[in-house]
Every structure is written in structure tokens, then in C-alpha cells.
């Protein structure tokens, strides 16, 4: 089934100070579609992990925030796009406990568990694009 974009904004993430306005915008979009507080929290937690990864490993990038519709379902799609070093081994990066930084390694696998759909594409030396979708009722 096709996904239709109902509303869209793009935010540049270049420094730590950009994280709070970004989180607020994600929340605004989630509230607009009537997403439950539990699902808002899951979405914002996943988005926070991914945006921090983007700042830490790629010195920032941009995020497209969209309200999407598929049949009767409304949801939020976030597309994180950076021009960082890329991820050498995506399956390894998606394993619990794996970390190239000095973190707990919950970033990618944790984010993936919190959302309805998760997609990652990365090219070494070119960057990474992570797309997540959280459906209103999922």
C-alpha cells in the first residue's frame, strides 16, 4: 500500500542545541495526528538516539519530519540523512551491545525496537540514511 505524505518539514541538525527544538517538532507532529503518549515517548526516544548518533559520528546532518498516511493509518516518518563516515557493518551495528563509541550500544537496535518500521542505508565514506516510521496505533 502507498504511503502519502500529508505534512513535512526539514530540520538541520548541526550542534547539540538543535536537539531540543527537533524533539519538540517531532512531538508537535505526533500530537497533531493524535498519537498516544506512550507511542510519542517511543518515537521521541528513538529519534533522540538517532539524532545524537548523527551529531556524534557525522557532525550532524538533516532530518525530514513527515506526517504520513497509509490506508486508515496515520504515522510519523523521520528520515535522518548525514554525510558522515558511514557504517562499515550494518548487521553488526544493529546488534545489542555493539558500539564503536563509548556508549552502551543501545542506539540503533534500541531505536529499531521502539518504532514500527526501521530502514538503514549506509555507504562508507559517503554517509548514512536512517528512516523510521511510528504508526499512530502501532
Amino acid at each position: 500500500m502507498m504511503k502519502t505524505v500529508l505534512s513535512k518539514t526539514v530540520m538541520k541538525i548541526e550542534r547539540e542545541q538543535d536537539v531540543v527544538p527537533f524533539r519538540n517538532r517531532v512531538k508537535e507532529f505526533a500530537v497533531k495526528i493524535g498519537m498516544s503518549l506512550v507511542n510519542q515517548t517511543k518515537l521521541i526516544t528513538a529519534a533522540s538516539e538517532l539524532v545524537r548518533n548523527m551529531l556524534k559520528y557525522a557532525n550532524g546532518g538533516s532530518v525530514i519530519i513527515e506526517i504520513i498516511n497509509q490506508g486508515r493509518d496515520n504515522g510519523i516518518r523521520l528520515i535522518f540523512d548525514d554525510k558522515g563516515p558511514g557504517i562499515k557493518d550494518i548487521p553488526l551495528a544493529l546488534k545489542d551491545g555493539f558500539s564503536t563509541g563509548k556508549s552502551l550500544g543501545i542506539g540503533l537496535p534500541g531505536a529499531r525496537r521502539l518504532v514500527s518500521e526501521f530502514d538503514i542505508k549506509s555507504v562508507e565514506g559517503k554517509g548514512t540514511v536512517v528512516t523510521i516510521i511510528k504508526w499512530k496505533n502501532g
Side-chain angles (χ1 to χ4, degrees), residues 2 31 49 102 116 118 120-121 136:
M2 277 271 302
V31 167
E49 277 294 333
K102 292 179 173 48
S116 312
F118 182 98
I120 183 166
K121 290 177 178 54
K136 177 182 167 184

Side-chain angles (χ1 to χ4, degrees), residues 15-42:
R15 54 193 191 282
E16 195 65 37
Q17 294 90 307
D18 297 332
V19 173
V20 171
F22 163 70
R23 287 171 54 123
N24 290 342
R25 184 61 59 86
V26 171
K27 183 170 177 62
E28 277 171 36
F29 273 54
V31 167
K32 198 183 282 186
I33 66 166
M35 188 178 280
S36 73
L37 199 54
V38 168
N39 283 343
Q40 284 179 41
T41 302
K42 288 177 177 178

Side-chain angles (χ1 to χ4, degrees), residues 15-127:
R15 54 193 191 282
E16 195 65 37
Q17 294 90 307
D18 297 332
V19 173
V20 171
F22 163 70
R23 287 171 54 123
N24 290 342
R25 184 61 59 86
V26 171
K27 183 170 177 62
E28 277 171 36
F29 273 54
V31 167
K32 198 183 282 186
I33 66 166
M35 188 178 280
S36 73
L37 199 54
V38 168
N39 283 343
Q40 284 179 41
T41 302
K42 288 177 177 178
L43 174 65
I44 291 165
T45 302
S48 297
E49 277 294 333
L50 295 170
V51 85
R52 291 198 189 288
N53 276 0
M54 203 165 67
L55 279 168
K56 183 175 179 178
Y57 297 110
N59 296 316
S62 64
V63 186
I64 299 169
I65 307 169
E66 298 173 327
I67 293 176
I68 60 169
N69 171 275
Q70 181 175 282
R72 290 184 166 171
D73 286 336
N74 284 329
I76 305 294
R77 176 167 53 198
L78 304 177
I79 304 165
F80 299 80
D81 191 350
D82 72 54
K83 305 297 178 238
I87 299 170
K88 187 175 184 171
D89 186 339
I90 291 174
L92 185 60
L94 288 170
K95 280 199 170 119
D96 282 313
F98 175 77
S99 176
T100 55
K102 292 179 173 48
S103 73
L104 297 173
I106 60 166
L108 292 176
R112 182 170 66 176
R113 278 194 297 273
L114 290 169
V115 297
S116 312
E117 297 179 32
F118 182 98
D119 180 69
I120 183 166
K121 290 177 178 54
S122 190
V123 177
E124 272 194 277
K126 297 257 197 274

